[in-house]
């Protein structure tokens, strides 16, 4: 019997016996079900001599359909283990005008996780959305269905069509997905090779996900291990030494485009005093700026930066004065989390021209995603607009030495992949270990109670404690061998297949039924979530 995948409606219909790929006939005195061609998924065709017989057959076919559904669902999922999948877009695969539409603000990550895990085939999820990438990591019950559901969710939340997302997305599975995240956290997949800010962003994924339903053991373990890998790569290869960040590349790009000028004479304006804005300010100071105007929603962050950079004049201005400040600036750096454009063509067109000494063109260096400077501003002849995708020009010149360090980093990543795989594989046997312990504990407690009841009331607390310790010791020693053979440890000679064979053997011997019961629970939980 075929079941429409992921459809709560189909499940409910099967449950009620309304959708069954069979035609039913009723000879006198017996009930039978025979295959027959029907429209769609099938209809129940009844030919009966009595209403009671028809009702009995409908109940029988309902039970039969439910049992067949359970069997087909269990078969479907036992053949395909849960997979770690990443579905994403990055500066490698999609231009900024596409990435900005799919970007998810950090404040919305928890809600995104909850919505993703409500999809039929998604168990766990995490979101990593930065200026250079938007990636969704999931644990999926089915690879094909999981990717399809996540892609449709991305389309629904962003307004970008599924076909356009598919043109730019990449999908990686299991070890490839794990390797990718390890490379991301190590700075190997960044526009600026070895940049450090991405590691902080991976940490933020873990911090934001804590306590969110769906940011569970496998996904949280994956991101925590990625943080360990990122720290180890930077410590052992020194890949980030002397490297540039997105913010410093933005400052370098502006210098390249200015006509023989330096920041000692240029009037810079920084809009946004978050992490990126703060780094822009620091790099401007390093390049010789002595006076910087900063526009931000509040003065608190600007005051903190001012305390840190005491020898520089940092002037705070509120957002309401942004256009007035822009009129007096030669180079404008934007790095805010605004989801709407701060500068439109009509805003910039009305600004006075800049000095011919610095080339006569006002520069906008927009490192925000979504972009803060509207695409229409580029049409003006008096300005030049650059975004994060334009930073490649600066980065290319500084890449050769870090590429050698990246080769060293790949060796570390290969080691860490083995460790993570051992940890992840060991999770497959955790339910069996728990059920085996519970099974042994039930027997131990029952037999101990029988023994104590036979000994009567005259037994002392000390004797009871001794008997308890004895029973626990026997159980622990008996379980030690089987449980050791259920653990995946890279120091052991056992392969994963051998460990899983041990797990299935114990399930059969002790009638634990771990896989089937867990899969049924997952399926039922997902169907229940999708029902109105």
């Amino acid at each position: 019997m075929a079941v429409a995948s992921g459809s709560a409606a189909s499940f409910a219909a099967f449950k009620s016996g309304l959708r069954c790929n069979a035609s039913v006939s009723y000879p006198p005195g017996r009930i039978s079900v025979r295959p027959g061609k029907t429209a769609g998924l099938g209809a129940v065709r009844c030919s009966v001599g009595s209403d009671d017989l028809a009702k009995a057959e409908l109940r029988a076919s309902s039970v039969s359909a439910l049992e067949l559904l359970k069997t087909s669902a269990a078969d479907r999922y036992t053949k395909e283990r849960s997979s770690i999948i990443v579905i994403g877009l990055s500066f490698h695969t999609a231009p900024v005008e596409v990435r900005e539409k799919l970007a998810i603000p950090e404040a919305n990550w928890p809600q995104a996780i909850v919505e993703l895990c409500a999809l039929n085939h998604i168990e766990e999820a995490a979101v990593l959305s930065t200026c250079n990438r938007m990636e969704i990591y999931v644990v999926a019950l089915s690879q094909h269905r999981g990717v399809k559901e996540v892609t449709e969710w991305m389309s629904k939340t962003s307004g970008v069509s599924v076909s356009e997302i598919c043109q730019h997305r990449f999908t990686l599975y299991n070890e490839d997905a794990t390797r990718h995240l390890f490379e991301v956290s190590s700075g190997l997949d960044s526009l600026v090779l070895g940049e450090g800010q991405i590691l902080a962003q991976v940490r933020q994924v873990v911090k934001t996900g804590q306590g969110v339903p769906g940011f569970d053991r496998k996904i949280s373990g994956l991101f925590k291990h990625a943080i360990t890998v990122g720290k180890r790569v930077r410590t052992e290869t020194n890949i980030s030494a002397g490297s540039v960040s997105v913010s410093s590349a933005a400052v370098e790009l502006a210098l390249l485009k200015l006509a023989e000028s330096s920041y000692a004479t240029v009037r810079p304006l920084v809009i946004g005093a978050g992490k990126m804005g703060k780094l822009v300010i620091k790099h401007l100071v390093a390049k010789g700026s002595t006076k910087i105007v900063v526009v931000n929603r509040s003065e608190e962050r600007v005051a903190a930066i001012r305390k840190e950079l005491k020898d520089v004049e940092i002037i705070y201005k509120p957002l309401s004065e942004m256009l007035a400040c822009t009129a007096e600036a030669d180079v404008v750096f934007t790095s805010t989390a605004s989801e709407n454009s701060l500068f439109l063509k009509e805003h910039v067109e009305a600004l006075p021209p800049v000095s011919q000494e610095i080339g006569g063109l006002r520069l906008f260096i927009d490192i925000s995603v979504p972009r803060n400077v509207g695409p229409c501003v580029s049409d003006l002849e008096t300005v030049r607009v650059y975004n994060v995708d334009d930073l490649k020009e600066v980065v290319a010149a500084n890449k050769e030495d870090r590429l050698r360090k990246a080769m060293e980093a790949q060796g570390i990543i290969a080691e860490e992949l083995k460790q993570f795989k051992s940890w992840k594989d060991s999770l497959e046997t955790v339910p069996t270990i728990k059920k085996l312990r519970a099974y042994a504990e039930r027997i131990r407690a029952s037999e101990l109670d029988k023994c104590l009841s036979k000994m009567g009331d005259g037994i002392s607390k000390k004797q009871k404690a001794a008997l308890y310790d004895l029973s626990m010791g026997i159980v622990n020693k008996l379980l030690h061998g089987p449980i050791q053979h259920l653990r995946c440890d890279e120091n052991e000679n056992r392969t994963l297949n051998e460990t899983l064979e041990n797990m299935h053997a114990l399930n059969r011997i002790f009638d634990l039924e771990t896989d089937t019961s867990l899969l049924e629970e997952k399926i039922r939980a997902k169907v229940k979530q999708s029902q109105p």
Side-chain angles (χ1 to χ4, degrees):
M1 179 177 294
V3 181
S5 166
S7 171
S10 297
F11 184 93
F14 268 104
K15 244 181 126 177
S16 61
L18 296 177
R19 303 185 74 175
C20 179
N21 193 17
S23 62
V24 185
S25 62
Y26 304 92
R30 63 187 293 234
I31 299 172
S32 65
V33 179
R34 61 180 175 80
K37 289 183 180 179
T38 57
L41 281 174
V44 177
R45 181 158 50 84
C46 302
S47 173
V48 296
S50 80
D51 291 342
D52 291 341
L53 192 59
K55 290 176 181 176
E57 172 52 27
L58 282 173
R59 285 196 295 272
S61 67
S62 176
V63 173
S64 173
L66 181 58
E67 289 304 313
L68 283 167
L69 175 65
K70 274 175 58 177
T71 304
S72 65
D75 286 346
R76 185 165 69 247
Y77 286 112
T78 49
K79 287 175 184 174
E80 186 176 3
R81 292 169 59 198
S82 293
S83 300
I84 292 177
I85 307 174
V86 55
I87 303 108
L89 301 90
S90 74
F91 68 96
H92 296 298
T93 67
V96 66
E97 52 264 29
V98 175
R99 299 198 309 272
E100 67 184 359
K101 294 175 186 175
L102 289 133
I104 301 175
E106 186 181 308
N108 296 347
W109 290 358
Q111 180 60 30
I113 292 170
V114 171
E115 290 180 10
L116 286 163
C117 291
L119 301 174
N120 284 347
H121 294 86
I122 304 302
E123 291 185 288
E124 302 180 31
V127 175
L128 175 60
S129 184
T130 73
C131 61
N132 283 326
R133 67 187 69 250
M134 203 295 284
E135 299 175 353
I136 293 175
Y137 292 79
V138 297
V139 174
L141 292 169
S142 163
Q143 289 187 359
H144 171 72
R145 295 179 182 89
V147 171
K148 182 175 182 291
E149 288 174 357
V150 171
T151 304
E152 289 172 349
W153 178 87
M154 291 166 68
S155 175
K156 181 181 176 182
T157 56
S158 66
V160 179
S161 69
V162 168
S163 60
E164 187 175 1
I165 292 173
C166 291
Q167 285 177 5
H168 298 287
R169 79 173 184 202
F170 64 89
T171 54
L172 297 169
Y173 305 92
N174 295 317
E175 186 171 329
D176 289 335
T178 303
R179 182 190 299 277
H180 174 73
L181 182 58
F182 288 0
E183 290 175 349
V184 167
S185 67
S186 301
L188 302 189
D189 193 65
S190 296
L191 173 65
V192 181
L193 191 63
E195 62 115 343
Q197 192 173 4
I198 186 63
L199 182 57
Q201 290 162 335
V202 172
R203 280 198 189 98
Q204 195 60 33
V205 172
V206 175
K207 183 179 178 182
T208 305
Q210 294 301 315
V212 177
F215 189 77
D216 294 329
R217 193 168 189 180
K218 285 184 183 177
I219 285 291
S220 67
L222 171 65
F223 272 82
K224 287 173 183 177
H225 205 114
I227 293 168
T228 300
V229 175
K231 287 161 67 176
R232 187 181 165 196
V233 165
R234 285 170 173 79
T235 301
E236 295 182 25
T237 68
N238 210 22
I239 193 171
S240 57
S243 69
V244 293
S245 64
V246 169
S247 299
S248 66
V251 173
E252 290 286 352
L253 178 65
L255 268 181
L256 283 174
K257 303 302 178 183
L258 290 168
E260 301 294 326
S261 298
S262 71
Y263 280 115
T265 56
V266 168
R267 299 172 297 172
L269 169 64
V270 179
I271 299 175
K275 294 174 184 175
M276 299 281 277
K278 181 179 179 180
L279 287 172
V280 167
I281 294 167
K282 286 187 172 182
H283 289 298
L284 284 171
V285 172
K287 291 296 180 181
S289 285
T290 56
K291 180 180 178 180
I292 304 168
V293 178
V294 182
V295 170
N296 198 50
R297 290 186 183 278
S298 64
E299 191 174 3
E300 186 179 354
R301 287 182 175 178
V302 180
I305 296 171
R306 193 185 291 128
K307 283 184 180 179
E308 195 173 333
L309 304 171
K310 295 179 181 178
D311 297 331
V312 182
E313 186 180 359
I314 297 176
I315 302 167
Y316 163 75
K317 295 290 182 179
L319 275 175
S320 58
E321 297 183 31
M322 182 183 70
L323 287 178
C325 294
T326 305
E328 299 177 1
D330 302 315
V331 183
V332 181
F333 297 90
T334 63
S335 61
T336 79
S338 173
E339 296 185 36
N340 301 311
S341 297
L342 299 180
F343 292 97
L344 299 177
K345 186 175 181 179
E346 55 267 28
H347 298 148
V348 179
E349 198 170 21
L351 297 175
V354 300
S355 169
Q356 288 298 324
E357 293 180 7
I358 60 166
L361 296 172
R362 179 174 281 106
L363 303 185
F364 285 86
I365 314 292
D366 186 2
I367 56 175
S368 304
V369 177
R371 289 171 292 177
N372 290 163
V373 181
C376 53
V377 176
S378 300
D379 297 337
L380 299 173
E381 295 182 359
T382 56
V383 303
R384 292 291 180 270
V385 180
Y386 302 95
N387 58 53
V388 286
D389 287 355
D390 297 312
L391 302 181
K392 295 173 185 176
E393 180 182 346
V394 175
V395 175
N398 195 350
K399 212 168 183 176
E400 188 176 337
D401 180 52
R402 291 195 306 282
L403 281 173
R404 287 194 294 270
K405 294 173 181 175
M407 295 298 292
E408 299 173 33
Q410 287 294 352
I412 294 171
I413 288 173
E415 291 175 20
E416 295 290 346
L417 275 171
K418 290 179 183 176
Q419 291 187 26
F420 179 77
K421 186 175 186 300
S422 293
W423 174 81
K424 182 172 73 71
D425 290 341
S426 71
L427 298 182
E428 298 290 329
T429 64
V430 168
T432 297
I433 292 172
K434 288 181 177 179
K435 290 203 171 192
L436 184 59
R437 283 193 178 279
Y439 174 81
E441 173 58 22
R442 285 194 298 272
I443 295 173
R444 184 203 66 78
S446 174
E447 293 303 313
L448 179 60
D449 287 344
K450 288 178 186 177
C451 177
L452 292 173
S453 65
K454 288 177 182 178
M455 298 179 72
D457 298 331
I459 187 171
S460 67
K461 287 184 178 180
K462 187 174 181 180
Q463 289 171 319
K464 284 183 181 180
L467 285 171
Y468 174 83
D469 290 342
L470 174 65
S471 66
M472 288 296 294
I474 291 171
V475 167
N476 288 337
K477 281 184 168 55
L478 286 172
L479 290 181
H480 178 74
I483 288 176
Q484 282 300 107
H485 282 77
L486 289 178
R487 299 191 187 280
C488 290
D489 189 335
E490 62 177 353
N491 297 321
E492 298 284 350
N493 293 323
R494 285 187 305 278
T495 65
L496 171 62
N497 285 338
E498 288 171 336
T499 301
L500 293 178
E501 283 174 12
N502 293 337
M503 180 184 77
H504 293 309
L506 286 168
N507 283 333
R508 290 192 300 272
I509 291 167
F510 293 101
D511 196 27
L512 302 177
E513 297 182 347
T514 305
D515 283 348
T516 305
S517 61
L518 282 175
L519 286 166
E520 285 185 5
E521 286 174 17
K522 289 176 181 178
I523 296 163
R524 290 180 184 280
K526 284 293 177 186
V527 170
K528 189 175 180 181
Q529 281 179 358
S530 15
Q531 285 177 336

